[in-house]
Amino acid sequence: MTSQYNERFRRFASRMERGIMIGIVACALMLIIGEIAISYVPARMLLIETERLEGVSRLP
């Protein structure tokens, strides 16, 4: 009985660990993509409301 419990727990923990790692990688990728997206002026105007409301261009 104990070995069966240990095996089930090991499989469950392995699935959970894999899911957490996938979540971490997905969040990191979304962060990188977001940072790249706001580096382009058209995307920044669409994504960031403050850029439109300031009324002063960042570029001289």
Side-chain angles (χ1 to χ4, degrees), residues 44-45 48-59:
R44 187 181 320 119
M45 291 298 201
I48 303 174
E49 185 177 6
T50 311
E51 287 285 327
R52 292 189 306 266
L53 299 176
E54 286 180 352
V56 179
S57 175
R58 268 189 46 201
L59 305 174

Side-chain angles (χ1 to χ4, degrees), residues 25-40 43 47:
V25 170
C27 287
L29 286 174
M30 287 179 11
L31 178 65
I32 291 169
I33 291 169
E35 289 294 324
I36 291 171
I38 64 171
S39 68
Y40 296 111
L47 296 173

Side-chain angles (χ1 to χ4, degrees), residues 5-45:
Y5 171 78
N6 288 339
E7 180 61 27
R8 284 182 178 178
F9 180 77
R10 188 190 61 75
R11 281 187 280 147
F12 171 73
S14 176
R15 285 194 311 259
M16 290 301 292
E17 182 179 2
R18 191 176 318 123
I20 290 170
M21 292 301 286
I22 289 171
I24 290 171
V25 170
C27 287
L29 286 174
M30 287 179 11
L31 178 65
I32 291 169
I33 291 169
E35 289 294 324
I36 291 171
I38 64 171
S39 68
Y40 296 111
V41 176
R44 187 181 320 119
M45 291 298 201

